[in-house]
Amino acid sequence: MSIPRIFLITTLTVALAMAMVATIVPQAEAARAFFVFGDSLVDSGNNNYLATTARADSPPYGIDYPTHRPTGRFSNGFNFPDIISQSMGLEPTLPYLSPELNGQRLLNGANFASAGIGILNDTGIQFVNILRMFRQFQLFEEYQRRVSAIIGADRTQQLVNNALVLITLGGNDFVNNYFLTPFAPRRRQFSLPDYCRFLVSEYRKLLMRLYDLGGRRILVTGTGPLGCVPAELAMSGSTNGECAPEPQRAAQIFNPQLFQMLQSLNRELGSDVFITANAFAMNTDLINSPQRFGFVTSKVACCGQGLYNGLGLCTVVSNLCPNRNVYVFWDAFHPTERANRVLVQQLMTGTTEYMNPMNLSTIMALDAKL
């Protein structure tokens, strides 16, 4: 008896699909995924695919990247999440909007970050089309549906629960919202201490949403010393490199409240879900003692113009330093690749002054036993 042709085709299709799943699933179980949420400090190129002015897709961005071309990272080379992936032996994550993020690559995780965004939806409105946090979370849900179609819902939940998650927010809520102009709406609405409390309460909602979406190891970075970046030095007219007082005060109020909230959440959940990375302390070390880490300056940006190279954008007509390895800051706001490497080293091995309740090396050792 002959077998119908359509039956043979259907059987072959099912067999091929099962074979594809079989090749993907073992790797999904062996590797750890990495998910990234946040702003330009961690955006690996999502904004390249958006109609926005908050972009890093033109030279000299990427000058020290392996391709020596701009990638959408606000860096001369690799950025903060790239170096975390390298340090933890994880596969690099692609921007979620990249057409290259498909198939097996999805199981490595994804980067949802978007330059210009903040904790609040009205932060970065001047940049128009950016992935605000509610949208980043929508895309994370979409990501999980896509992966479920490959490895099934149960294994997808396991992949997400076992992943490392990084979220970096807060800086733009100050520099691109509260301090944007003397008459900014949020500045008229809140005193600085009240605004910090409001931000922390809104951040708490975002973090619980991330937990509800499956995050169980969530690394939360506070803001750096906002008043000490070249842009703030330039705009405040700093004469001797002293940090701009108001943005600096904002970071000093906001970060302790954020860290206290994270500890409270862990107590409520009965688990060390949220890992605090004290970016303020880490960056302050670099800024106050650059020579100790092999840098020449922590005041002047490598790429820019004006006072401290802190005015305007980094473009082909900007001043550009010949050796990025001796500068803490790449542009008016963002660290160089080498500065990011110093910061990630603190994430990996730092004491509780920098990483609470534990550093990433400890997390890797603990989670390997589970």
Side-chain angles (χ1 to χ4, degrees):
M1 183 178 70
S2 63
I3 300 173
R5 176 184 173 88
I6 187 139
F7 177 81
L8 285 171
I9 292 173
T10 303
T11 304
L12 181 61
T13 302
V14 171
L16 285 170
M18 290 178 67
M20 286 175 66
V21 170
T23 61
I24 290 175
V25 169
Q27 294 183 53
E29 292 173 344
R32 184 172 207 168
F34 183 30
F35 300 106
V36 181
F37 301 87
D39 57 26
S40 61
L41 289 167
V42 292
D43 183 355
S44 293
N46 280 309
N47 281 22
N48 284 1
Y49 304 96
L50 302 171
T52 177
T53 56
R55 303 165 74 100
D57 59 346
S58 58
Y61 285 97
I63 189 171
D64 298 310
Y65 195 76
T67 60
H68 305 294
R69 294 178 178 177
T71 62
R73 293 165 173 83
F74 286 75
S75 172
N76 57 303
F78 290 113
N79 69 359
F80 197 61
D82 295 323
I83 299 164
I84 291 175
S85 294
Q86 293 167 8
S87 298
M88 295 189 71
L90 304 178
E91 291 293 323
T93 54
L94 292 172
Y96 185 72
L97 299 184
S98 168
E100 296 178 14
L101 185 65
N102 52 50
Q104 177 68 45
R105 292 191 187 95
L106 280 166
L107 305 186
N108 298 329
N111 186 314
F112 300 90
S114 179
I117 67 104
I119 297 165
L120 306 180
N121 283 334
D122 58 296
T123 291
I125 55 172
Q126 66 270 37
F127 302 125
V128 193
N129 296 307
I130 49 181
L131 304 178
R132 292 178 172 80
M133 283 310 302
F134 74 89
R135 183 60 181 151
Q136 291 188 29
F137 289 160
Q138 286 176 345
L139 294 175
F140 189 33
E141 292 179 281
E142 179 183 286
Y143 164 89
Q144 293 188 41
R145 290 192 294 271
R146 290 174 65 188
V147 174
S148 292
I150 300 172
I151 63 174
D154 289 344
R155 284 196 172 94
T156 298
Q157 183 177 352
Q158 183 182 18
L159 182 145
V160 172
N161 289 162
N162 292 340
L164 177 69
V165 181
L166 170 68
I167 184 165
T168 295
L169 290 171
N172 284 322
D173 294 286
F174 293 105
V175 300
N176 279 315
N177 191 331
Y178 193 83
F179 293 120
L180 187 60
T181 71
F183 307 104
R186 291 296 188 183
R187 204 164 180 174
R188 296 199 307 269
Q189 181 183 8
F190 291 106
S191 68
L192 184 56
D194 287 344
Y195 185 63
C196 291
R197 279 190 288 273
F198 176 60
L199 286 180
V200 170
S201 69
E202 292 300 300
Y203 206 166
R204 187 186 192 281
K205 297 173 188 175
L206 294 176
L207 293 174
M208 285 309 298
R209 178 67 181 139
L210 194 47
Y211 178 83
D212 291 341
L213 289 171
R216 293 298 180 269
R217 284 292 193 198
I218 303 172
L219 176 63
V220 184
T221 65
T223 73
L226 298 173
C228 303
V229 300
E232 295 299 333
L233 298 185
M235 286 187 285
S236 67
S238 174
T239 53
N240 298 310
E242 66 275 9
C243 302
E246 278 299 283
Q248 193 68 351
R249 179 169 166 254
Q252 289 167 336
I253 296 171
F254 172 77
N255 284 305
Q257 292 183 17
L258 172 65
F259 301 157
Q260 188 176 16
M261 180 267 284
L262 294 171
Q263 291 171 356
S264 174
L265 277 180
N266 282 344
R267 286 193 296 270
E268 288 179 31
L269 297 170
S271 177
D272 291 327
V273 172
F274 297 102
I275 311 299
T276 301
N278 191 339
F280 185 91
M282 295 177 190
N283 281 279
T284 298
D285 286 351
L286 278 177
I287 288 166
N288 288 346
S289 307
Q291 288 78 17
R292 180 157 67 93
F293 299 93
F295 297 99
V296 169
T297 179
S298 61
K299 304 297 182 184
V300 180
C302 170
C303 181
Q305 47 273 324
L307 197 61
Y308 302 102
N309 273 348
L311 297 175
L313 302 173
C314 172
T315 70
V316 289
V317 298
S318 298
N319 301 318
L320 179 65
C321 67
N323 183 1
R324 275 70 66 183
N325 286 333
V326 297
Y327 282 70
V328 170
F329 285 99
W330 158 245
D331 63 14
F333 290 101
H334 305 95
T336 56
E337 176 186 318
R338 184 164 173 270
N340 273 323
R341 290 193 179 280
V342 173
L343 297 173
V344 170
Q345 186 58 44
Q346 292 286 21
L347 260 65
M348 295 300 297
T349 61
T351 65
T352 51
E353 178 189 357
Y354 303 106
M355 297 292 295
N356 190 283
M358 66 191 103
N359 59 39
L360 290 188
S361 295
T362 304
I363 289 172
M364 289 173 66
L366 281 177
D367 291 353
K369 297 175 183 177
L370 299 179

